[in-house]
Amino acid sequence: MKLSPNFALDELTASETAARYGIDNTPDEAIIKNLTRLANALQEVRALLGNKVIIVSSGYRSPELNQKVGGSATSDHCKGLAADFICPSYGTPDEIVRVVMASAIPYKQVIREFDKWVHFSIPEEGEAPRKQALIIDKQGTRNYA
């Protein structure tokens, strides 16, 4: 099921961990609605990145899956509002975060995680975009400079 021109439901719910442990990662209708909003925001990010392919490594996580991967209990992944991705044909996670920060995209958070991937989340429907930019690495969590 296509959620936007370049993002499908299965892409935003796929999980090797869920498959390995037999965890059901099927979203309900409310989560699918959020995932559709997320896919459209990711579509804007993709356009910002010169329409380069975005590779999603983690999207929706059921509470059981989120616990298994050590995610935060309040993770936006559990609401269908966040995705972790890379776009190697565009550039590094740092370059991606900086271009998203400079854009008009109404995001909640953009995080460069361990210089390996970008965490991107959108606000809940009706909530104002926080536009928080962070770095998470071995030194801890801090604001983007």
Side-chain angles (χ1 to χ4, degrees):
M1 168 184 189
K2 282 280 197 187
L3 301 177
S4 73
N6 294 104
F7 297 96
L9 180 62
D10 62 347
E11 178 180 10
L12 294 177
T13 59
S15 168
E16 290 178 15
T17 302
R20 185 177 318 116
Y21 292 98
I23 298 170
D24 182 8
N25 199 44
T26 306
D28 63 24
E29 285 186 38
I31 300 292
I32 292 172
K33 184 178 177 184
N34 284 344
L35 286 168
T36 301
R37 291 180 50 243
L38 177 63
N40 284 299
L42 287 170
Q43 200 66 50
E44 289 184 63
V45 172
R46 182 181 163 128
L48 196 63
L49 303 179
N51 210 32
K52 306 282 187 196
V53 173
I54 287 176
I55 302 164
V56 175
S57 57
S58 182
Y60 170 68
R61 296 183 200 145
S62 67
E64 183 181 0
L65 175 59
N66 192 58
Q67 185 176 14
K68 189 63 139 174
V69 300
S72 163
T74 60
S75 174
D76 283 332
H77 286 278
C78 295
K79 301 173 191 172
L81 296 171
D84 297 336
F85 71 89
I86 59 172
C87 185
S89 61
Y90 178 81
T92 66
D94 182 65
E95 291 168 322
I96 295 166
V97 168
R98 288 185 186 282
V99 77
V100 170
M101 286 171 55
S103 78
I105 295 172
Y107 63 89
K108 179 179 178 179
Q109 286 185 315
V110 62
I111 306 171
R112 186 187 83 201
E113 295 195 44
F114 302 97
D115 278 332
K116 301 243 185 235
W117 68 87
V118 175
H119 169 91
F120 175 82
S121 66
I122 59 171
E124 298 213 34
E125 199 162 19
E127 188 178 279
R130 220 159 95 196
K131 295 194 98 167
Q132 181 181 43
L134 301 171
I135 297 170
I136 295 176
D137 58 21
K138 291 177 185 177
Q139 297 171 34
T141 302
R142 58 197 180 279
N143 288 323
Y144 232 89

